[in-house]
Amino acid sequence: MSAALEKFCGSVFWNDSYLARPDADLPVCFQQTVVVWVPLGFFWILAPWQLLPMCKSKAKKTSVTKLFIIKQVLAALLVLVAVAELALAFVEDAEQGGVPAVLYTNPSLYIATWIMVLLIHDARRFCLCRDSGVLFCFWILSILCGILPFQSLIRKALQEPISDLPRFILFFISYGLQLLLFLVSGFSDIAPETKEIGKKNPEVTASFLSSITFEWYSSMVFKGYRKPLEIEDVWELKDKDKTKALYTAFEKNMKPAMKKARAKLEKRERKKRRRAGDPDHGSSMSKAQSQDILVLEEKQPKKKKKKGDNEDSGPHKDYPRGWLLKTLAKTFQQNLLLAVAFKLVHDALVFVSPQLLKLLIAFVSDEDAFAWQGYLYAILLFLAAVLQSLCLQQHFSLCFQLGINVRASLIAAIYKKSLTMSGATRKESTVGETVNLMSADAQRFMDAANFIHQLWSCPLQIILSIVFLWAELGPSVLAGIATMVLLLPINAFLVAKAKTIQEKNMKHKDERMKIMTEILNGIKILKLFAWEPSFEKRIIDIRAHELKNLVNFGYLQSVSVFVFTCAPFLVSLASFAVYVLVDENNILDAQKAFTAISLFNVLRFPMAMLPMVLSSLVQTNVSTVRLERYLSGGDLDTSAIHHNPIEGSAVRFSDATFAWEQDGNAAIRDVTLDITPGSLVAVVGPVGSGKSSLVSAMLGEMENIKGHINIQGSLAYVPQQAWIQNATLKDNIIFGSELDEARYQKVIKACALLPDLELLPAGDQTEIGEKGINLSGGQKQRVSLARAVYSDADIYILDDPLSAVDAHVGKYLFEHVLGPKGLLQKKTRILVTHSISFLPEVDNIVVLAAGAVSEHGSYSTLLANKGAFSQFLNLYGNQEEDVSEENTAAVALAGDEEEADEDVDPCLEERTDDVVTMTLRRETSIHRRKLSRSLSKKSTSSQKKAQEEPPKKLRGQKLIEKEAVETGRVKFSMYVRYLRAVGWCLSFWTVMSYVGQYVAYLGTNLWLSDWTDDSVRYQNQTYPTHLRDLRIGVFGALGFSQALFLLFATVLSVWGSMQASRVMHQQLLSNILRAPMSFFDTTPVGRIVNRFAKVREHPQHREGVCSTTSAVCWVVA
């Protein structure tokens, strides 16, 4: 190989004598081949992939920029330089002959390379980010390799006249152009048409250099330094990071994974039946009974397989397992693989530094070493540190992105599941559990994702540390390995115990959140009966159990940290002790000691991180079980709802039988019904006859037993209890649709909302409180009806919408909206009602009795039949007469009292007497009086201003205030408040313990440093035995005291943070329960629930932070 290259170059390829001198240099042939071909090889392996954007026919080429022109001009000049060099070779060959082949080959390769660079620059115009990472790396590699011939030519030129001036000039021109291209590549090339996208998210258009150094984020940092950041300041997410894209990918992978898991579940159930000796175990009983028996069967072998069993210890039925982690891994595999690549490079470079340090120490010790070796080692140490830092930051960036994306995907999946789960599944989970799954369990996955790669990186670093230590200390390292192996069973026990505690704790947390949600939803009743103290006691009792488990978990973590803090010292103590005890000639010198110390320091971080990662994985494992059980639950079966086009039929029931549970009693039975398009159908029947169940069946919310329902067209649903968003009145009606002002005005007029708009402070721009707190029951129902009418659907399902309004208002709504002359006269309307006064005007009446259609037909037909419909009329007729008499009297009285008003609209009704409504009405009446006075004094022009300006300043317009968030630095008073909650004595001793631990750590290093000096003191003497024993004993004592101080500190941290958590939770709970009703009317329940959900595992969280801080201190030191 060497001979062939020498013939190719016409000179010596390699000779060791070139380096064995003070002015070392590389042979010319080596520089012309290896130094040139390494960057070119890198380029040609990766460059063809950069041309792929040109092959995409749909991609549009962006416009030319000044930066693009500069790049192309520089690349074109490089082509010309390479052509000139090739021409020079031909000229020399023609004149002199015998020109080496390398002088033809290299210019030819460069011509092809620079042409490819021109093509890549043009291809990147098809991309949003026009800068190429491959080209940037190529320029760096080419410049670094070019330094070798650069310094060789300079040195030769200074020593003797230049022999080959043309090539000398061409090389420096080419090197200068490459340097310019490298500098230009560091700037972002942003096309005019992508500037707006770049403003929304600079990361999308950032250059490669900006991406790897995170320079694109600098503007956000400066903005945050100048003022507190708000949501408007934050850039938009990239499309691939948006929740919609993330959940789409997650769901795509989730379905097949869950399908396989369900198949495995069925296999497990069959095996259990076979073990029970009855293969047809569940054939003669219901599904629910068979599941109960399966649960009983599961309980028997649990004692035998207590350890290592992944099943939840609760009485839940079996569920599809093992699919969630596989789904997440498949969804985010690109992120995971990239993070693995960066971490591998980083871990490799971590062990390069100690070896370079060893060489540097040897260089300093060797007086005969050449100076260039020291410069080389220093430069390599610097480059290793830079690459290590870049790789680590990219790794953590990917990990944090992974954590956020995993959390977003899981929250989206939980949210969607909560909307689509079947009734049977809904019974198994509470609201508190759903809140916890979104807040605590999803957060645990995010926390675990941040450090998931430590699971393989820590063992890898430990193994490599031991390998390199073996090279330094020999078989003595086996003592350290034995020490580590002995510690493994302790860790296994701690992990198993921690898992049990976490499972218990999550049950307590679910129970606490469930009760808290119930309290907040029923706070009016709670305050009415003064039940706050009793409910407060219940929550405090549950919280006490929760904190007890958390403290136990914190103590386990403290012991785990103590064990793994001892581990590096025990390993180093055992290794050093055995090393000096085995042979009297084994004395620790500076080279061995400092190299070993650097390797032991490398060993510290993985051994400190491993227990925390394992602890996090234990919590994540518990959350995995909970999420898999929740997400794999049954969904609503909509297969019985068909959408086939059938002429002359809008809704058709075909022998439809539905139940609320798969094995429950049928709520509606054998319903066969055909509803024609554009008809008004009333569904009547006594209470419990199945009217609402019929509506739910059409909406796909019930379990299908047999038959089906065919619905042709879009649906709009008005529920019996109105659902109101926390938004403006207008937004509640439009509900995300496009605004059609003419249709909107018709709808609010038909739904009798115009008088209400006059009462509200800001009209239809008034913010409606949570659950419509500042609207009366009738107003909420009319808003709900208006929303459905505005949606302009084909079929309207109305579940007794007139029950919440007075009789005269109901009559108005029927005439203007639902009736034969109303807005919906051409739509199909299915009206569930108890009001018999509207029945003569409907097209068809369906009478339900015990879930079945007893009769249906027109009003006159059913009246003539004298069947169930006649009984219904007799039952509800008398009641309605009494109600109508009362309403007539009320309207007459209201009319007498309001004679001064010009118009008394038929839709005025009683309002609720809640605090917010009274306040709004008071503000409105005051505003009206002020407005009437100003109108009497001002001209017509000023009247318009008076009508336009006041609503902008009204206090009642904004009901739900934006959540107040503290910005800037954390106030010192907050630290004092937290420390007071912890306890001053505990805080003091915790700090002192950490100080003691750090002092012991410094003492260990100083003692070891002094120990290494013994190799100089006793260089040609026998090492004293008593001094050897003293060195080993003090080193071990300092290491053990360091771990003991840390154990003391972490135990105190756990206890103190538990105290603080108890105090703060109690204060929060007490203040919330004693807040006035106006607070609950103007504060969303979700905001309060979040505050309680975020009262998380404070002991383990604080202790984990302390442990991480200690680990970081070790690494920095």
Side-chain angles (χ1 to χ4, degrees), residues 565-827:
T565 305
C566 286
F569 291 103
L570 292 174
V571 170
S572 57
L573 177 64
S575 301
F576 284 147
V578 172
Y579 179 73
V580 296
L581 288 170
V582 166
D583 191 350
E584 291 181 358
N585 298 322
N586 287 347
I587 300 175
L588 282 177
D589 57 4
Q591 188 175 340
K592 282 188 180 296
F594 283 113
T595 307
I597 287 169
S598 63
L599 288 169
F600 280 129
N601 283 335
V602 169
L603 190 62
R604 282 180 196 278
F605 184 74
M607 293 195 75
M609 282 298 297
L610 200 57
M612 286 185 280
V613 172
L614 291 173
S615 172
S616 177
L617 285 176
V618 166
Q619 299 173 52
T620 309
N621 186 39
V622 175
S623 296
T624 302
V625 171
R626 288 159 54 82
L627 283 165
E628 284 183 344
R629 179 179 285 119
Y630 185 86
L631 294 175
S632 60
D635 284 334
L636 291 169
D637 183 15
T638 55
S639 60
I641 311 298
H642 298 172
H643 298 281
N644 303 322
I646 300 174
E647 192 175 346
S649 174
V651 180
R652 177 175 291 181
F653 290 78
S654 300
D655 197 22
T657 301
F658 287 84
W660 286 107
E661 293 182 16
Q662 188 65 40
D663 302 306
N665 296 324
I668 59 169
R669 302 190 312 274
D670 304 323
V671 175
T672 301
L673 194 63
D674 199 355
I675 297 171
T676 57
S679 61
L680 172 58
V681 178
V683 180
V684 298
V687 174
S689 60
K691 300 185 295 298
S692 294
S693 298
L694 188 76
V695 169
S696 297
M698 282 189 278
L699 296 174
E701 293 179 355
M702 296 183 72
E703 297 285 350
N704 178 242
I705 307 299
K706 65 173 183 176
H708 67 273
I709 304 172
N710 191 79
I711 297 174
Q712 191 175 347
S714 57
L715 278 178
Y717 172 54
V718 181
Q720 205 164 0
Q721 292 183 341
W723 178 75
I724 303 295
Q725 275 188 308
N726 175 209
T728 63
L729 188 76
K730 191 171 190 176
D731 290 338
N732 266 287
I733 295 172
I734 295 172
F735 202 57
S737 303
E738 290 185 12
L739 177 63
D740 182 346
E741 191 62 39
R743 179 154 57 103
Y744 173 72
Q745 292 299 333
K746 282 183 184 178
V747 168
I748 58 174
K749 183 179 180 182
C751 294
L753 286 169
L754 286 175
D756 299 302
L757 296 184
E758 292 177 9
L759 281 176
L760 293 171
D764 61 2
Q765 293 300 317
T766 304
E767 185 178 8
I768 307 303
E770 200 173 45
K771 298 181 182 178
I773 198 71
N774 51 334
L775 297 178
S776 69
Q779 286 174 325
K780 285 191 278 189
Q781 196 64 53
R782 292 202 300 279
V783 170
S784 180
L785 180 63
R787 181 196 299 135
V789 175
Y790 187 83
S791 68
D792 196 26
D794 300 318
I795 301 165
Y796 285 82
I797 300 174
L798 308 132
D799 191 0
D800 208 2
L802 307 179
S803 61
V805 298
D806 294 338
H808 58 285
V809 180
K811 186 178 179 183
Y812 179 88
L813 291 175
F814 188 85
E815 289 175 359
H816 291 82
V817 181
L818 306 176
K821 297 178 181 179
L823 275 181
L824 304 179
Q825 56 184 307
K826 295 181 181 179
K827 307 287 185 180

Side-chain angles (χ1 to χ4, degrees), residues 6 259 379 479 664 717 776 900 941 970:
E6 286 177 2
K259 190 176 180 182
I379 290 167
Y717 172 54
S776 69
S941 61
V970 180

Side-chain angles (χ1 to χ4, degrees), residues 285-301:
M285 57 183 73
S286 70
K287 185 178 178 182
Q289 289 172 323
S290 64
Q291 290 290 352
D292 292 338
I293 290 169
L294 285 174
V295 170
L296 291 172
E297 289 173 357
E298 282 181 36
K299 287 182 180 178
Q300 294 174 0

Side-chain angles (χ1 to χ4, degrees), residues 398-461:
L398 288 167
C399 286
F400 292 141
Q401 284 178 32
L402 175 68
I404 293 166
N405 291 348
V406 165
R407 183 172 179 268
S409 302
L410 289 175
I411 289 175
I414 295 163
Y415 184 73
K416 185 175 181 182
K417 187 68 183 181
S418 67
L419 297 176
T420 61
M421 64 169 56
S422 62
T425 309
R426 199 177 296 278
K427 281 185 177 181
E428 296 174 3
S429 57
T430 62
V431 176
E433 183 184 352
T434 306
V435 170
N436 271 341
L437 286 170
M438 284 190 179
S439 60
D441 295 280
Q443 182 68 35
R444 278 180 182 161
F445 268 87
M446 178 177 171
D447 295 339
N450 293 341
F451 298 100
I452 188 67
H453 294 285
Q454 297 296 337
L455 197 61
W456 61 264
S457 178
C458 286
L460 177 66
Q461 289 186 27

Side-chain angles (χ1 to χ4, degrees), residues 981-996:
V982 171
W984 291 109
C985 185
L986 274 174
S987 301
F988 173 77
W989 285 112
T990 303
V991 172
M992 293 310 296
S993 299
Y994 277 114
V995 170

Side-chain angles (χ1 to χ4, degrees), residues 20-34:
R21 57 189 185 187
D23 58 337
D25 202 354
L26 292 171
V28 175
C29 183
F30 187 87
Q31 293 181 17
Q32 289 177 334
T33 53
V34 175

Side-chain angles (χ1 to χ4, degrees), residues 168-190:
F168 182 87
I169 295 169
L170 288 173
F171 171 80
F172 281 101
I173 292 172
S174 176
Y175 193 79
L177 290 171
Q178 290 178 53
L179 196 60
L180 284 172
L181 270 167
F182 165 68
L183 294 173
V184 170
S185 299
F187 297 97
S188 300
D189 186 10
I190 304 172

